[in-house]
Amino acid sequence: MSPRQDLPRERRNRVLWLLDRLEREPRADALIDTLQSGVRSLPLGRAKDVLHGRWLGHPVHPLMVQVPLGTWLSAAVLDLWPGRSREAGVLVGVGLAAAVPAALSGATDWAELHPQQMRVGLVHAAANTLAVGLYTASLGCRVTGRTKAGRAFGFLGMTAVGVGGMLGGHMAYRQAAGANHTEEVPHVVSEGWHPIGTVDEFPAGVAVRRSVDDVPLVVVRELGGTIHVLADRCSHLAGPLSEGKVADGCVECPWHGSVFRLSDGWNVRGPATAPQPAFDTRVTDGRVEVRLPTDGADDPDGTTGTGDRPPSE
């Protein structure tokens, strides 16, 4: 029996228990599929990568939500002071305006998650949508002179925002939505060169899976003989790049379509916001060896250095 099963029910964390139930609850999956298809069909073009935060190196949604959160929290503080309802109303309005792009970026990220994450994300979005509705009512009351009702709707909206924020934190820190799923690679692979097979084990243009120190790798040999090696698990949600499509010097993740340049691991298309760890390679007596990139120039012994080259589009 696991330690969790051993715990008396009254000693379990009720909130975590409810969140675990939410992750496993499939009854909203049909609605999730419909919403996911709708978000993915939006004609965003290159703006989709902007909303994902590829330009920033991590998801932009947590940054964008700071404006509505900050303004609404400030409005709640002002509502505790007599005679400051007008200033609080201005802050409520600013928060409502900022909530629109924040919601769009969040929806763009949400549509590229695992089902368990999307189930929590749906309730997260519902809580925030409720908050927007309550703050809209609050602003309407303030404009029409019903200050007391405006403050009441504002405090209710702050409560809904708090629930949404708790669910967002669960997604980010418990479910690792938006986290870089390759961050540990440089800390796990030992220093030095590691053999991964002979050259003839890697057909040209075909992604082959290997591993070093229990870290999966994707190996691609070009027609000209150059061999590229990246961490196999996609930085977005750990999808297997070795099962993806290789074309135009890049590999595409089969799960959510992130595209990485084979030469240096640079993420040329999202939803991945972090590049893929790339390895130095060399061929010794017909055997392919790899290592983590080292500082400085390429070695004079046939090493192909990829770690420190600046990315270019």
Side-chain angles (χ1 to χ4, degrees), residues 18-156:
L18 290 172
L19 289 171
D20 288 343
R21 286 286 301 271
L22 176 59
E23 292 177 14
R24 299 191 300 269
E25 177 54 62
R27 281 182 288 185
D29 285 357
L31 174 61
I32 288 173
D33 290 342
T34 300
L35 293 174
Q36 181 186 43
S37 297
V39 172
R40 285 182 169 179
S41 66
L42 292 175
L44 296 174
R46 294 179 64 88
K48 182 175 289 188
D49 275 355
V50 175
L51 291 169
H52 281 311
R54 190 175 73 87
W55 56 276
L56 187 61
H58 61 76
V60 72
H61 177 66
L63 176 64
M64 297 183 74
V65 300
Q66 300 307 308
V67 178
L69 284 174
T71 53
W72 290 338
L73 180 59
S74 299
V77 173
L78 289 179
D79 275 337
L80 297 175
W81 291 72
R84 304 304 295 270
S85 181
R86 180 179 178 182
E87 292 85 349
V90 172
L91 290 170
V92 169
V94 171
L96 286 171
V100 175
L104 183 57
S105 66
T108 304
D109 289 342
W110 173 83
E112 307 296 343
L113 296 177
H114 292 315
Q116 295 84 355
Q117 296 165 330
M118 296 180 75
R119 290 165 184 161
V120 178
L122 181 64
V123 183
H124 166 72
N128 289 333
T129 300
L130 174 61
V132 169
L134 290 168
Y135 275 112
T136 300
S138 174
L139 184 61
C141 290
R142 295 171 196 271
V143 170
T144 56
R146 293 175 290 163
T147 303
K148 186 176 293 186
R151 289 201 298 266
F153 278 119
F155 288 126
L156 288 173

Side-chain angles (χ1 to χ4, degrees), residues 111-301:
E112 307 296 343
L113 296 177
H114 292 315
Q116 295 84 355
Q117 296 165 330
M118 296 180 75
R119 290 165 184 161
V120 178
L122 181 64
V123 183
H124 166 72
N128 289 333
T129 300
L130 174 61
V132 169
L134 290 168
Y135 275 112
T136 300
S138 174
L139 184 61
C141 290
R142 295 171 196 271
V143 170
T144 56
R146 293 175 290 163
T147 303
K148 186 176 293 186
R151 289 201 298 266
F153 278 119
F155 288 126
L156 288 173
M158 194 74 251
T159 301
V161 166
V163 173
M166 181 271 292
L167 292 169
H170 180 83
M171 294 174 65
Y173 298 109
R174 181 79 177 266
Q175 296 183 305
N180 177 8
H181 287 258
T182 62
E183 190 279 334
E184 80 284 354
V185 170
H187 311 291
V188 175
V189 177
S190 57
E191 295 182 359
W193 292 100
H194 304 270
I196 58 172
T198 60
V199 173
D200 56 11
E201 293 178 34
F202 306 107
V206 178
V208 178
R209 194 174 191 266
R210 288 291 186 269
S211 65
V212 167
D213 291 337
D214 294 326
V215 173
L217 308 176
V218 55
V219 184
V220 178
R221 180 165 67 91
E222 294 182 344
L223 290 174
T226 302
I227 297 175
H228 303 294
V229 179
L230 305 178
D232 186 43
R233 295 194 181 105
C234 177
S235 63
H236 174 233
L237 282 177
L241 297 184
S242 55
E243 298 178 16
K245 177 182 176 182
V246 176
D248 301 322
C250 297
V251 60
E252 180 178 342
C253 179
W255 284 6
H256 302 99
S258 297
V259 176
F260 301 93
R261 194 163 52 203
L262 289 168
S263 61
D264 57 8
W266 188 249
N267 49 319
V268 300
R269 191 177 75 205
T273 58
Q276 204 67 9
F279 287 73
D280 292 339
T281 65
R282 72 179 182 185
V283 177
T284 304
D285 296 329
R287 296 189 63 82
V288 180
E289 298 179 339
V290 301
R291 72 172 181 186
L292 288 170
T294 57
D295 294 334
D298 293 348
D299 288 349
D301 58 359

